[in-house]
Amino acid sequence: MNNTPRLELQGMTKIYPSVIANDSIDLRIYPGEIHAVLGENGAGKSTLMKAIYGVVKPDRGRILWNGKPVVIQNPAHARKLGIGMVFQHFSLFETLTVTENIALAMDDSPRLEPLAERIRTVSADYGLPLDPERLVHSLSVGLRQRVEILRCLLQEPKLLIMDEPTSVLTPQAVRIMFDTLRRLAAEGCSILYISHKLDEIMELCHKATIIRGGKVTGYAKPAEETAASLARMMIGKELPICSGKRPVISGRKCLQVNDLSTKSADPFGTDLQAINFSVSEGEILGIAGISGNGQQELLYCLSGERLVDDKNLITIYDVPVGHLNPDQRRNLGLGFVPEERLGRGAVPGMSLTYNGILTAHRHGMVKNGLLRFRKAAEFAQQCITGFSVQCGSKDDPITSLSGGNMQKYITGREILQQPKLLIVSQPTWGVDVGAANVIRQAMIDLRNNGSAVLVVSEELDELFEICDRLIVLAQGRSSPSLQVQDTNKEEIGLWMSGMFPGGPKEKTPRTTTQEQDGYVC
Amino acid sequence: MDFAIFIKILIAAVAAGTPFVYAALGELVTEKSGVLNLGVEGMMLVGAITGFIAMAKTGSLLLAVGCGMTAGMLMAAIFGVLTLTLMANQVASGLALTIFGIGLSAFLGLKYTSIALPGIPELPIPLLSDIPVLGKLFFSYDILVYGSLALLAIVSWFLYKTRAGLILRGVGEAPKSAHALGYNVVRIRYIAVLFGGAMAGLGGVYLSVAYTPVWVEGMVAGRGWVSLALVVFATWRPLRVLFGAYLFGAITIAQFHIQGLGIDIPSQLLSMLPYLATILVLVVISRDLTAIRLNSPASLGITYHPENQ
C-alpha cells in the first residue's frame, strides 16, 4: 500500500432545501482497502456516494483523486477516472438484455457481439456466471446485482462503490459477493462499502467511517470494535432490543391459505403455485424470501385488493373470504400494512387524522353517514402518543413525516384497532433503528395479547428476532413451516433460493423464445 | 368484386396510409424516448398548410417538404419547451398544441382555400414497374411513398441496431437510470420530440400536396389522432405501425367502393369501419402482455425532473 490515498474527501457538504444531507465530511481510502461507510437510513451515505460518482453536485468541499484535486462533472467523468458504482436501487433497464445494459454504461460504444463474449469470460472468471443474452426483467434480484457489478468490473475500476449491496441477497449470495470483493481488493481496487449492517462490516471491511445526521461521528477499524460500540457511533445510543415474547398457549387457527394459485396481473410478476400456510392466535408467522418471489401477489390476495376465484382458498376463522373486498375483510378483523406507505398505506395529501379515518372509520367515527371528527382526532392522537410519532400536529399532511414516523403511524393505526389478524409487509424498510424497534415491539405485544400476526420481510435478522414460525416463498411456491428455534439463517437462506422440500430448486438460466420477440419488427 | 378493383383498392390504400406512416413513425420515436406528444394532429395541420403554401408559391416539392418539416419541428419545439424545460404536463400540453395547430393552420390557409395544386407525379421504377399486376402494385408510386418506406427501414434500424437507438430506448424505459449513467435525458428527449414533429409535418405535406392536393381547413381530419392510436395498438413496433396504416387505408378505400356499389348500409356506419377494424385487428394481434411490456416505454408520459434525485 502506498501513502497517497486513492480518494480523499475534504469537507464535503451538500444542502437540500429542507435538510443538510452532508455536513463537511472528510474521508480517506487507500488502494486495496475495503472501507465501510456506516450509518442509518437517511444519514446521508447515499448522497455522499452520488457526489463522488458525479450524480449530484456538492455545495462545498474538495475531492482528491490519487492526490490531485478533481471536480467530478458527471458519471461518465467518474468512470473515466476509474470509479464504478453499484446502486442500491438498481439502475438497470428491464426490457433490455444484459449486454445492452452493460453497453449503455460503456463510454467507447462497443460492438455488442464481442462485448457479450467479454461478459461471458469476465463473469466466469470472477465466479459470477451470467448469460449475456437474457433480458434483465427475467433475472432474479441477485443476478441483477451481478449485472451491476460486472458493468463496473468490465471497466477495470480503481474504486468501486457498493451502496447497500446485500439488502437483497440470500446469505449464500452474500458469501459469493464477499469473495469477489476480497479478490478485487487484493488486486488493488479500493472499495467503498455502504451499509448499516454491523456484522457484515466487521467481517469484510478494513476501516470504517461512521456518519450520523450528515456528519462524521467517528473513524474505526471494524475488526477492533464490537457491534455495540459501532452501533453507539451510528445511532448515538445503545442498540435497542425488543423485550421478550411471552409464551402463549397456541390458540385457534385464524388465517388459513389452502393451495392458493393465481396468475400474476403483472406480466413480469410471479405466479403463485399452491401456496399453503396458516397463522394461529398468539403467534407471529414470518414469510421469508427475496422480493419478487410472489410476495406482492400473495399480499394482494390476502388483503382483498385482488379477489381469488375460489373463495375457500383463503379463510379467516373458517369463514371463506376469497371473494370479499378489503373493507369486508377488515370487518372480519383484518389489519393490513402494505409495503408502499404512500399511495397504498396512506393518502399523501391528507392529514394524519384523515388517514386515520381511512381504515379506522368502523370504530365509531361515522354516525348516520357523517364523520365524527372528535372521535377521529382522538384516535389520531392515540396513534401519535402510543407509537411516539414525531410530527407537528395531527392536522399536518402525512407527507411531512419521515419514512420511519410514517410507518409508525400507519402500523399504529392498524394495531390500535385491535385486529384479530394483522398482516404487515416489510415492516421496517427504510426505517431507522429506533422506529424499527417500536414497530417490532408493537407486533410482539399484539401477539402476546392473542392476535395472529403475519410478517412478510426480506430481513432475516428481523424475522428471527420476532417470529415464532417461518415459511419461505421462492418462485411463487411456499415452503413447509419451521419453528424459529429449530432452524438457522443458513437453512432459510438455502430455502430462499428454492431448495426446500417440494420447492422449485435452482433452475439453470435459459433464454426463452419469448425474449426474442422483443426484437422482431 | 373482381381482381382489378381489388388491386386498385390496394394501390389506393398505400397512398391513403402514407400520411399515417410518417406521423405514426415520428410519434413512435418520440414515445420511445418516454414523451407522449398528443399534438400530432396540430403538427400535421401546420405542416400541411406550410407545405401547401410553399408548393403553391414555388412549385418545388423539395421546398414544400422542407417547409412542412420545419413547421412541424417548430410546433414540436413549443411542446418540448413546455414539457421538457418547463416540465408542464405532457397530456395537457399536447392537447393544447393540437388546438393551437388547428387555429394556426386555418389562419395561415385563409387565402389558399380554393386553390388546387397539380399533385406530384408517380415515379415508376424502370423495368420493375413493367411486371404485370405486381409492377403496378409495388413499384409505381410517388416519391413520398417510397420515402415513407425508407423511413420505416431507418427507424427500425436506428432503434434496434444502433447505439443511439439503444440509448433512446433506455431513456424511455428508465430515465433515472439513464441519468445515473450520465446520459442527458432532456437533450435526448428534445431530439426525439423534434424528430416526431418533423415527421408529423411531412405527413401533413403528403396530404395537402400529394394525396388531395387542395387546401381545406382542418383537412387532416383526425388522422393525427389515428396515428397516435396506431402507435399504441401496434405496441410501439415500427412494422406493425406500417401494417396498421395500410390496413386503415385499405378499409377506408374499400368502404368508398362499397358506398359506390349502392349497398344499403348507412354511409355513416361504413365511415366508422376503418377505425373500428384497424383497432380491433391490432388489439387482437398485439394482445400478448409480455410483448406489450417489453416494447412499451415504461416512463411514457411521466414528466422527468432532473433535480429530483
Side-chain angles (χ1 to χ4, degrees), chain B residues 35-121:
Chain B
V35 182
L36 180 65
N37 185 352
L38 292 183
V40 181
E41 179 87 6
M43 298 189 296
M44 283 179 86
L45 274 166
V46 174
I49 185 60
T50 6
F52 187 86
I53 294 174
M55 192 71 173
K57 294 262 189 223
T58 67
S60 154
L61 177 63
L62 193 67
L63 213 61
V65 166
C67 288
M69 284 172 69
T70 314
M73 263 166 106
L74 285 175
M75 290 286 284
I78 299 176
F79 177 81
V81 171
L82 287 174
T83 59
L84 299 175
T85 305
L86 302 175
M87 297 176 201
N89 177 289
Q90 293 178 8
V91 170
S93 308
L95 288 173
L97 190 71
T98 284
I99 296 165
F100 172 65
I102 292 172
L104 180 66
S105 62
F107 172 71
L108 292 174
L110 274 179
K111 290 192 204 136
Y112 297 87
T113 27
S114 51
I115 300 173
L117 295 177
I120 62 174

Side-chain angles (χ1 to χ4, degrees), chain A residues 308-315 319-324:
Chain A
V308 285
D309 301 330
D310 180 351
K311 62 178 182 179
N312 294 309
L313 298 186
I314 304 172
T315 60
V319 180
V321 297
H323 60 303
L324 299 182

Side-chain angles (χ1 to χ4, degrees), chain A residues 314-430:
Chain A
I314 304 172
T315 60
I316 296 178
Y317 287 121
D318 296 326
V319 180
V321 297
H323 60 303
L324 299 182
N325 67 35
D327 205 50
Q328 294 166 320
R329 292 190 201 188
R330 282 176 180 276
N331 285 336
L332 290 173
L334 171 72
F336 177 56
V337 181
E339 66 184 62
E340 302 97 335
R341 278 159 225 151
L342 282 179
R344 232 171 124 203
V347 178
M350 284 190 186
S351 69
L352 274 69
T353 307
Y354 277 100
N355 269 300
I357 299 173
L358 286 180
T359 69
H361 59 81
R362 70 200 85 239
H363 299 274
M365 289 180 203
V366 183
K367 197 174 183 185
N368 304 324
L370 297 175
L371 290 171
R372 299 169 70 190
F373 284 100
R374 208 170 43 78
K375 267 264 196 236
E378 274 170 26
F379 179 79
Q381 198 55 52
Q382 268 178 13
C383 291
I384 292 168
T385 25
F387 288 80
S388 47
V389 177
Q390 280 151 32
C391 62
S393 93
K394 58 185 185 313
D395 300 314
D396 287 351
I398 194 140
T399 35
S400 65
L401 269 56
S402 74
N405 280 307
M406 205 183 293
Q407 184 74 345
K408 281 195 278 189
Y409 185 78
I410 295 170
T411 315
R413 173 186 76 187
E414 299 303 316
I415 289 181
L416 282 184
Q417 298 178 50
Q418 308 269 302
K420 290 180 191 145
L421 167 65
L422 178 69
I423 299 176
V424 189
S425 176
Q426 312 294 354
T428 57
W429 246 3

Side-chain angles (χ1 to χ4, degrees), chain A residues 79 93 95 103-104 106 109, chain B residues 163 170 173 180-181 183 237 293:
Chain A
R79 283 196 296 270
F93 304 89
T95 59
L104 275 174
M106 312 279 275
S109 359
Chain B
R163 179 171 167 84
E173 169 72 22
L181 290 177
Y183 293 108
R237 280 181 268 191
R293 175 64 193 86

Side-chain angles (χ1 to χ4, degrees), chain A residues 16 50 53 55-56 75-76 79 87 90-96 100 103-107 109-110 135 137 151 267-268 514 517-521, chain B residues 156 160 163 166-171 173-183 236-240 288-291 293-296 307 309:
Chain A
Y16 285 117
K50 282 182 180 163
Y53 196 56
V55 180
V56 302
R79 283 196 296 270
F87 292 90
F90 300 150
S91 61
L92 295 175
F93 304 89
E94 293 209 336
T95 59
L96 305 182
E100 287 173 326
L104 275 174
M106 312 279 275
D107 299 316
S109 359
L135 290 172
H137 77 80
R151 188 152 83 174
F268 293 177
Q514 228 172 22
D517 213 6
Y519 293 86
V520 216
C521 59
Chain B
S156 307
Y160 295 106
R163 179 171 167 84
L166 179 61
I167 294 171
L168 182 90
R169 286 188 288 144
V171 165
E173 169 72 22
K176 287 207 166 138
S177 300
H179 174 79
L181 290 177
Y183 293 108
W236 295 270
R237 280 181 268 191
L239 198 59
R240 288 188 186 201
D288 177 356
L289 275 180
T290 313
R293 175 64 193 86
L294 279 179
N295 290 288
S296 65
E307 311 299 325
Q309 287 302 309

Side-chain angles (χ1 to χ4, degrees), chain B residues 34 47 50 63 73 76 86 88 90 106 118 161 203 216 220 236 238 243 260 265 269 272 274 286 290 296 305:
Chain B
T50 6
L63 213 61
M73 263 166 106
L86 302 175
Q90 293 178 8
K161 295 286 176 207
V216 182
V220 173
W236 295 270
F243 170 73
I265 305 172
L269 278 183
M272 285 182 216
S286 309
T290 313
S296 65
H305 301 270

